[in-house]
Amino acid sequence: MTHKTLSIVHPNGTRIANGEKTIEVRRWLPPADLTGDLLIVENKNFLFKEGETDIGTPVAVVKIKSVRPFEEKDIPAACASKWEPGYYSWELTEVRKLNSTQQVLAAKGIYELEIDL
């Protein structure tokens, strides 16, 4: 099955899976048509350039409840250390933790991953 996927650097993917992190902060907006499930893959390295990839592990499936400008009050829910203007808070809901050990592609942005969960 093909899943819309977002890679998140360790330990924040695990924090999402465990319900500790309920806001993902990004400088960019998700596609407007992204209304279904989003697979979270946790990887070890930040991906800065288009086309850059890494290896990760599927840790959760979530839905994006809403997206709005990142506010200072979001710091605890985002497990962030500081607030900066120009970022967006992606409010995550319906978190379903996965217990996978599969090694899969981690890529920049939202990408499609063919995987059976």
Side-chain angles (χ1 to χ4, degrees), residues 6 30 34-38 62-67 89-93 110:
L6 179 68
L34 182 62
T35 57
D37 289 341
L38 181 65
V62 303
K63 290 191 184 214
I64 299 173
K65 179 180 176 183
S66 66
V67 178
S89 289
W90 299 16
E91 293 183 68
L92 306 177
T93 188
I110 293 179

Side-chain angles (χ1 to χ4, degrees), residues 7 22 28 40 46 62 68 76 94 99 110:
S7 65
T22 58
W28 49 277
I40 304 297
F46 285 99
V62 303
R68 57 180 172 69
E94 297 184 41
N99 291 312
I110 293 179

Side-chain angles (χ1 to χ4, degrees), residues 24-30 70 84-90 108:
E24 174 61 13
V25 178
R26 295 281 165 147
R27 190 176 288 276
W28 49 277
L29 295 169
F70 180 45
E84 285 188 45
Y87 286 83
Y88 296 96
S89 289
W90 299 16
K108 186 167 174 57

